[in-house]
Amino acid sequence: MAQEIVYAGIDIGGTNIKYGLVDSRGRVLFKEQRPTMVEKGAEPLMHLVTNIAERLLYHAAEEDHPVKWLGVGTPGAVDSRTGKVISLSPNIEGWQGMEIGRILRDRLNLAVYVDNDVNSMALAESRFGAAVGYKSVFCTAVGTGVGGAIVLDGTLWRGANFTAGEIGHVSINANGPQCRCGNRGCLETYCSSAAMLGTIKNRLSNGLTPAFEDVLEGNIENLTVKKLFAAAKKSDEIALDVISETAQYLGTALAGVVNLLNPEIVVVGGGVADGGAGFLETVTAEIRKRAFSTAVDNLRVARASLGNDAGFIGAGILGETRS
Ligand SMILES: [Zn+2]
């Protein structure tokens, strides 16, 4: 009997690099993570990724897992033919132009596939997660930034120059705040963990409410997305308001996507979506309120189901459509 294929994937995140081995049914056989340490710069980060790739392949060999290629997901737009980062990635200085694919291929003597991190996540959710069985999928990840990806008939739609799906930089207010991309009023300026925390800090500038006093142990500097959702679970009105407003902004942009693509399913992932407190329900209601009824009649809106593993699982299967 032929040995079952095992996928090796690495997900380079702004905070952590997650990596692992996955079998053909999507079961995680091995996983680990290491801090990204972006402050060290692009070159040291590339050394770390190379080191992780070798460790991952060495571990696969130790366990007799046959690995045919390595997949890598990274922030930024990626030329998936070469594995080169072609756009700025605001979280990793100097990452634009990094030839991740070439460097790893030269070093490992193995096929290496590189793509955008949210593209990887969307592929994983389509193959093993919340979007199994759906032919047209829009996937969005709401965390430090807001990303998106399109999967049609099991294949990523990357666009003419690897930039498709960037819902985070769809403007929802022509005169809104300046975004780091140069545009104004991008969804990301309203709907990202940084935007939410900024709004909360503003509204608490005259003092903490009892719920925030409790979850933050009296210090606003302890504020994180998790703490914000913890305050919401204590029925804090400011927390609930900000979560609801954020969900409405996301739903507004997604209604546009739904009218444009008429997908079967919208999958929402990332740290903000995982918090609960009615976030996904409000997103869904806003989409249904704003989009054409014909576009939402058969639409499903679901939370991503693979959590933090989605990035490296999806990276691992990037090579499938090429072989
Ligand atoms: Zn923008």
Side-chain angles (χ1 to χ4, degrees), residues 116-118 138-143 145-149 165-169 188 250:
N116 170 264
D117 51 358
V118 182
F138 187 81
C139 188
T140 181
V142 186
V146 180
E166 287 293 355
I167 189 177
H169 301 279
E188 192 168 288
L250 180 60

Side-chain angles (χ1 to χ4, degrees), residues 29-296:
L29 304 171
F30 166 79
K31 66 172 174 178
E32 277 184 355
Q33 64 175 45
R34 300 259 295 270
T36 308
M37 298 191 294
V38 284
E39 68 282 0
K40 305 274 187 197
E43 284 297 332
L45 175 57
M46 194 61 229
H47 292 314
L48 176 59
V49 172
T50 309
N51 184 282
I52 284 171
E54 290 194 314
R55 175 174 160 65
L56 187 57
L57 295 172
Y58 182 73
H59 181 81
E62 271 186 328
E63 301 288 322
D64 292 323
H65 293 314
V67 171
K68 286 189 180 163
W69 66 75
L70 174 72
V72 181
T74 172
V78 177
D79 182 334
S80 59
R81 295 166 306 187
T82 59
K84 181 177 175 178
V85 179
I86 59 169
S87 75
L88 285 173
S89 2
N91 294 323
I92 310 175
E93 207 176 313
W95 203 233
Q96 183 176 23
M98 185 59 76
E99 297 188 75
I100 302 173
R102 183 187 59 75
I103 292 168
L104 290 177
R105 276 189 288 268
D106 287 354
R107 178 70 190 225
L108 306 168
N109 195 28
L110 186 79
V112 177
Y113 301 97
V114 188
D115 214 312
N116 170 264
D117 51 358
V118 182
N119 280 0
S120 303
M121 167 199 166
L123 206 54
E125 291 290 343
S126 299
R127 175 75 184 273
F128 301 120
V132 168
Y134 293 87
K135 283 178 183 292
S136 49
V137 182
F138 187 81
C139 188
T140 181
V142 186
T144 321
V146 180
I150 303 160
V151 181
L152 303 173
D153 289 323
T155 304
L156 280 166
W157 173 256
R158 295 183 171 91
N161 198 32
F162 312 103
T163 312
E166 287 293 355
I167 189 177
H169 301 279
V170 168
S171 180
I172 54 170
N173 178 359
N175 302 310
Q178 179 81 47
C179 180
R180 58 189 183 174
C181 76
N183 193 2
R184 282 194 173 276
C186 290
L187 177 64
E188 192 168 288
T189 65
Y190 294 95
C191 180
S192 65
S193 51
M196 290 174 93
L197 299 182
T199 309
I200 291 283
K201 281 186 179 172
N202 248 331
R203 297 204 192 163
L204 293 174
S205 57
N206 292 326
L208 299 180
T209 58
F212 275 109
E213 184 73 42
D214 193 21
V215 299
L216 300 179
E217 292 164 349
N219 186 355
I220 189 73
E221 296 309 317
N222 292 332
L223 184 64
T224 60
V225 168
K226 269 199 176 140
K227 299 270 164 78
L228 161 59
F229 278 96
K233 273 162 202 149
K234 291 176 180 285
S235 305
D236 184 274
E237 279 189 24
I238 291 178
L240 287 168
D241 269 2
V242 170
I243 289 167
S244 172
E245 284 166 21
T246 306
Q248 285 173 34
Y249 290 132
L250 180 60
T252 301
L254 282 172
V257 169
V258 164
N259 277 347
L260 185 76
L261 293 178
N262 189 198
E264 288 178 334
I265 186 169
V266 170
V267 177
V268 185
V272 172
D274 291 340
F279 184 83
L280 193 67
E281 292 77 3
T282 306
V283 170
T284 308
E286 199 68 18
I287 295 173
R288 294 197 182 281
K289 191 171 93 186
R290 289 177 180 269
F292 280 147
S293 63
T294 46
V296 296

